[in-house]
Amino acid sequence: MSGIFLDRLKYSELKPLYKSGDASDLANYRPVSLLTSFSKIIEKFIHQKFYHFFKKQIILVKEQHGFRKKMSIETAAFSFFNNILNFLDSRKTVGGLFLDLQKAFDCVDHDLLLAKLNFYAITGKSNKLMESYIKDRFQRVVLKDKFNNKLTSEWKRVNYGVPQGSVLGPLLFSIYINDLPRTINKYTESVLYADDTGIIIANTNVHEYKHNIKLAMHEINNWFANNLLIVKYNKTYFLQSYAYWTVHHLHI
């Protein structure tokens, strides 16, 4: 009611979880925040209120399948392939752009996030509460040596990002990236699952198709630059399918 998230609940320990690849490369670890139980209880209450509001007002875009009830990686895959098949049935040339972001949750700009929440009518004390929640957080890294002894770094202030492993973090990130599909949907279809983004470009005219690919890349680059998110271009791919009649006659 006061719009204040208690400072004592804003301390988290980071546990690096190994994903894959070179174990000596820090980029191959996911930093999961270990939060206090009291923090998660309060976050669940806030999440319930916010998610109900976003759902009632139809604020979250249909293209986002992550962190939502009755939506999953399966619904994202179905939507993506269904769009492709519909375009192929219409004899359109179809291209798919698959984007991978670098440490997306850790790069969220706090002031931009608060501005977007304000735009979606999270104002007054609700916005003040979110500011209190995401700002002035502290974290330290926790590791164990070969003798199973606990090793910790110094406490450091967090200037960017939303905590991974928190209850509110995924919802706040969904709001942060919520306007991306609306930026590029003039000539594309998109499917999002959290920070994984798939873009479909389709057109019966080859010249317009190539032009739309360039426009989409330009708009995407501008959006990510303006929102301080970084695309990993070495893990970004573009694939192209042929028109349905071509595929059919080739018996593929």
Side-chain angles (χ1 to χ4, degrees):
M1 294 299 293
S2 65
I4 296 173
F5 195 86
L6 295 177
D7 289 341
R8 187 63 189 89
L9 302 182
K10 296 194 286 186
Y11 284 77
S12 58
E13 293 187 332
L14 285 186
K15 183 179 181 181
L17 293 184
Y18 174 67
K19 295 186 291 184
S20 61
D22 184 3
S24 63
D25 186 352
L26 296 180
N28 292 327
Y29 290 82
R30 177 178 288 108
V32 176
S33 298
L34 304 178
L35 303 166
T36 68
S37 298
F38 285 110
S39 173
K40 290 189 174 183
I41 291 170
I42 297 173
E43 285 184 58
K44 282 184 178 180
F45 175 77
I46 300 171
H47 182 282
Q48 183 183 32
K49 296 293 184 182
F50 278 25
Y51 187 81
H52 176 74
F53 172 76
F54 293 144
K55 184 178 180 181
K56 184 178 180 180
Q57 301 299 324
I58 318 176
I59 288 174
L60 295 174
V61 292
K62 62 180 177 60
E63 289 86 353
Q64 177 61 268
H65 293 256
F67 317 122
R68 301 176 70 176
K69 295 177 181 178
K70 298 182 180 180
M71 302 184 82
S72 63
I73 190 67
E74 286 81 10
T75 61
F78 175 81
S79 177
F80 193 82
F81 287 115
N82 188 58
N83 283 331
I84 291 175
L85 292 173
N86 286 335
F87 286 134
L88 290 175
D89 282 342
S90 302
R91 298 188 175 185
K92 293 182 178 181
T93 302
V94 184
L97 182 62
F98 304 91
L99 302 168
D100 190 21
L101 300 182
Q102 179 176 316
K103 306 294 182 186
F105 275 60
D106 300 325
C107 294
V108 170
D109 182 86
H110 294 163
D111 291 330
L112 271 176
L113 174 59
L114 291 170
K116 292 186 180 194
L117 287 169
N118 186 74
F119 175 79
Y120 293 125
I122 303 298
T123 58
K125 284 188 177 179
S126 295
N127 196 278
K128 181 184 176 184
L129 177 62
M130 285 298 92
E131 181 178 9
S132 178
Y133 172 78
I134 62 176
K135 289 194 173 184
D136 297 321
R137 300 187 71 90
F138 287 83
Q139 65 185 26
R140 67 178 180 181
V141 179
V142 178
L143 298 171
K144 288 188 177 181
D145 64 14
K146 60 182 180 180
F147 302 109
N148 210 34
N149 296 316
K150 183 178 178 180
L151 305 174
T152 62
S153 67
E154 295 180 4
W155 289 106
K156 294 289 184 179
R157 186 186 299 271
V158 181
N159 296 317
Y160 291 89
V162 292
Q164 295 192 52
S166 64
V167 177
L168 273 174
L171 180 60
L172 293 177
F173 181 79
S174 295
I175 286 295
Y176 193 77
I177 204 171
N178 195 58
D179 56 307
L180 172 59
R182 294 170 179 167
T183 304
I184 58 175
N185 67 1
K186 291 171 285 189
Y187 31 76
T188 70
E189 293 286 342
S190 56
V191 176
L192 281 70
Y193 185 79
D195 59 326
D196 292 327
T197 307
I199 310 291
I200 305 171
I201 303 101
N203 203 297
T204 51
N205 185 295
V206 175
H207 296 292
E208 289 184 7
Y209 165 75
K210 292 180 178 179
H211 180 63
N212 286 346
I213 293 174
K214 293 179 181 179
L215 285 177
M217 283 301 302
H218 178 72
E219 293 288 350
I220 289 167
N221 283 329
N222 281 344
W223 190 91
F224 282 118
N226 291 334
N227 288 272
L228 306 180
L229 296 177
I230 303 169
V231 179
K232 290 194 285 188
Y233 288 103
N234 62 327
K235 291 188 177 181
T236 293
Y237 300 94
F238 181 82
L239 301 176
Q240 180 173 307
S241 299
Y242 297 99
Y244 175 78
W245 64 270
T246 306
V247 176
H248 177 75
H249 285 288
L250 288 174
H251 303 290
I252 296 177

